[in-house]
Amino acid sequence: MSIAVTRAVALRGIAGHVVDVECHIGHGLPCFELGGLPDTALRQAPQRVRAAALSAGCSLNARQLTVNLSPAAIPKHGTGFDLAIAVAALAAAEAMPADAVRPVVHVAELGLDGRLRHVTGVLPAVLAAREAGCRHVVVAPEDVTEARLVDGVRISTAQRLGDLVSAYRALRGGSRLPEADEPVSPTTREPGRTLDLADVSGQHEARAALTLAAAGGHHLLLTGPPGSGKTMLAERLVTILPPLTSAQALETLAVRSLVGAVLPGRLDLSPPFVAPHHSASTAALVGGGSGAVLPGAVSQAHHGVLFLDEAAEFAGSVLQALRQPLESGQVVVARARQRVTYPARVQLVLAANPCPCGEGYGKALACRCRPTERRAYAARLSGPLMDRVDIQVQVPKVSLADLSEVPPDTSAEIAARVQVARDAQRARWQRHGWTLNSQVPGPVLRRAPWRLPRGVTATLDRALELGQITGRGYDRVLRLAWTSADLFGRDVPTSSDVGLALMYRTQGAVAA
């Protein structure tokens, strides 16, 4: 009788738990039993492991093997446990040293020929291993680049299971498997990115609104006819946002890893930009699925921009599903046997036409829609959702004069002003645990020492009394006023900042 243990990682969202893969070899009839709440793909691991071990010259067919994935109460998903199961079985069969494999985490799928294959979620798995104190992870060759994004963890690989067995057998005196490659360094922009806000002609009010949104992390609605530049503006928001920190970039890439996205070879500090099609389902937008619970577009845009073009064309239930993530900054997907949480701290940008035909702006002389059609179209963006959008601005058609004007400020120039405003916010709120005005709870801004004088908030107070804004809207106007003051270099908002914030709050609705 022989027992060997190695390690793997069970993912639940982007959080992971290090799992002990225990293998016991008995003297009974040949069998291969697997326990520990495996899913369908994982239940098929014994067949893959037997074939891969035979390809490596180490047959397990005549043995009674019992494998337990501990803790057994945690559900296990996917084929990433294959390598760990094979290593534990071969160590129990004394084909490799059991003491050498015990502290190492193994994450890879096995082919029938013994080849180590790519699996999704390698980055969050390596992050979880590091958090648990593990310092050595073996992955497939295709996953080395992704795994090396995590500092403080030794990454090793092998082409086939037989190569890994030979490498373990060659270890002497506490030596370790060779490291796969050199560590990576961060980069701030992907090669070839050429978008610049200077490409947008005219639209001075919309550009100012975009700058305000970037400075404070506020949600934005752009309303205007087709061809006015709404999509161009939205796509260039990320070019004026500050680069992510290394921790934020890893968290964002970890979400992308779960959906099988190809990650860059270097740590990209650029904020993500995600723009799902208007036919996207609720699961595609906020996360879910019938099998494994995968992150949706709102989580893939974590620490970046979620852009919903033609927002009024999205299904009403899909848009309503965004309300909770926008408030809490996370998505919670509940299932019968598990509860998965994904991060979703995003800036939401909505773009919509004023009516179905798109011509219902200004005097709407060219509009072909009936009044009932326009009202029904505007109602697709519900009040509760729009109450969470801080800035609503109309984007008119571009004139010939706009096309002929001197090029406006570039993204780099605007990004510098945004960074100054964000530095002021961080200095003000950091000791309270916030970094942006949009994150500050409303009660904090309505009480001493941050409460503004009555003379400054007079127009805002009147709008609340007349029912023109809600209590949530009142707080969001205050946050926007503080951001306006930061952009203009003022320590405290003035009545003009509050008036500007209130105007942006109410002037750009689709129903206008």
Side-chain angles (χ1 to χ4, degrees):
M1 181 178 68
S2 181
I3 296 178
V5 181
T6 189
R7 291 175 168 178
V9 176
L11 292 175
R12 181 178 296 182
I14 63 170
H17 303 272
V18 172
V19 172
D20 286 337
V21 181
E22 307 165 329
C23 182
H24 169 268
I25 295 183
H27 299 297
L29 294 174
C31 67
F32 200 142
E33 296 184 357
L34 180 63
L37 289 183
D39 68 350
T40 302
L42 184 49
R43 288 194 194 100
Q44 298 171 350
Q47 289 86 350
R48 294 190 295 270
V49 169
R50 283 185 187 274
L54 190 61
S55 298
C58 306
S59 177
L60 298 173
N61 292 332
R63 299 177 181 270
Q64 183 190 65
L65 296 99
T66 302
V67 174
N68 180 49
L69 307 177
S70 178
I74 298 176
K76 320 297 190 305
H77 304 284
T79 58
F81 291 87
D82 286 5
L83 182 59
I85 293 172
V87 168
L90 293 173
E94 300 181 352
M96 61 175 68
D99 56 341
V101 305
R102 184 179 183 91
V104 182
V105 176
H106 298 84
V107 182
E109 179 183 326
L110 286 177
L112 299 183
D113 59 353
R115 188 182 302 274
L116 274 63
R117 291 179 172 171
H118 159 78
V119 292
T120 59
V122 167
L123 179 56
V126 177
L127 286 169
R130 185 181 68 177
E131 290 297 318
C134 302
R135 292 295 178 263
H136 196 175
V137 181
V138 178
V139 299
E142 299 94 329
D143 295 329
V144 168
T145 300
E146 182 176 333
R148 287 192 300 109
L149 295 173
V150 182
D151 293 328
V153 179
R154 184 183 183 89
I155 304 300
S156 298
T157 190
Q159 289 291 336
R160 298 178 182 274
L161 180 59
D163 300 334
L164 187 62
V165 172
S166 300
Y168 270 120
R169 286 175 174 173
L171 297 181
R172 294 289 186 271
S175 59
R176 297 182 295 174
L177 296 175
E179 193 166 2
D181 210 336
E182 295 296 324
V184 296
S185 58
T187 181
T188 55
R189 295 292 169 188
E190 296 177 5
R193 178 172 290 179
T194 59
L195 297 181
D196 196 293
L197 203 53
D199 300 334
V200 181
S201 301
Q203 307 302 4
H204 301 289
E205 183 180 1
R207 287 168 56 90
L210 205 70
T211 304
L212 192 61
H218 303 284
H219 305 312
L220 173 68
L221 168 66
L222 301 170
T223 307
S228 57
K230 302 186 295 295
T231 301
M232 287 185 66
L233 287 163
E235 289 175 342
R236 285 154 179 77
L237 175 57
V238 292
T239 67
I240 62 175
L241 293 176
L244 305 180
T245 64
S246 295
Q248 290 173 333
L250 278 176
E251 192 174 20
T252 299
L253 292 175
V255 175
R256 291 175 56 191
S257 175
L258 291 172
V259 295
V262 178
L263 302 188
R266 299 162 67 90
L267 189 58
D268 183 17
L269 305 183
S270 305
F273 179 84
V274 179
H277 191 262
H278 60 75
S279 62
S281 64
T282 302
L285 192 63
V286 301
S290 57
V293 179
L294 296 177
V298 68
S299 295
Q300 296 173 44
H302 183 52
H303 293 311
V305 176
L306 175 65
F307 176 46
L308 302 187
D309 200 5
E310 304 294 344
E313 302 297 334
F314 281 78
S317 59
V318 173
L319 293 176
Q320 295 309 308
L322 286 174
R323 290 160 54 180
Q324 180 262 336
L326 293 180
E327 287 292 321
S328 64
Q330 62 181 13
V331 172
V332 180
V333 182
R335 291 292 183 265
R337 297 176 61 181
Q338 62 178 326
R339 183 183 177 92
V340 178
T341 301
Y342 286 114
R345 184 72 63 184
V346 301
Q347 271 191 264
L348 177 66
V349 179
L350 305 171
N353 294 329
C355 65
C357 76
E359 300 296 331
Y361 64 96
K363 295 183 179 180
L365 298 179
C367 181
R368 302 182 299 275
C369 304
R370 294 189 296 270
T372 54
E373 292 176 330
R374 296 187 64 179
R375 285 195 296 269
Y377 190 79
R380 296 181 184 180
L381 298 180
S382 68
L385 176 63
M386 297 312 302
D387 204 31
R388 291 164 169 81
V389 178
D390 301 336
I391 302 175
Q392 304 177 25
V393 62
Q394 293 190 13
V395 184
K397 281 188 174 180
V398 179
S399 66
L400 180 60
D402 292 331
L403 295 177
S404 305
E405 70 177 4
V406 177
D409 293 341
T410 64
S411 289
E413 294 169 332
I414 298 174
R417 298 198 291 269
V418 168
Q419 185 63 65
V420 171
R422 289 204 171 198
D423 290 342
Q425 295 168 56
R426 185 177 295 105
R428 180 188 306 123
W429 305 118
Q430 192 168 28
R431 64 189 180 94
H432 301 288
W434 310 303
T435 57
L436 294 174
N437 291 327
S438 59
Q439 300 171 355
V440 182
V444 173
L445 297 178
R446 287 186 270 109
R447 297 170 185 164
W450 306 108
R451 179 175 177 81
L452 300 178
R454 290 291 184 185
V456 173
T457 62
T459 56
L460 178 59
D461 296 339
R462 180 170 177 79
L464 180 65
E465 289 293 332
L466 294 176
Q468 296 173 348
I469 60 172
T470 64
R472 181 190 289 113
Y474 187 98
D475 293 339
R476 289 185 174 273
V477 170
L478 289 178
R479 294 169 184 153
L480 197 58
W482 278 96
T483 301
S484 175
D486 291 330
L487 268 178
F488 288 103
R490 291 188 279 267
D491 294 332
V492 179
T494 63
S495 56
S496 62
D497 293 316
V498 174
L500 179 68
L502 185 60
M503 178 199 71
Y504 276 134
R505 176 77 186 176
T506 58
Q507 67 121 9
V510 175

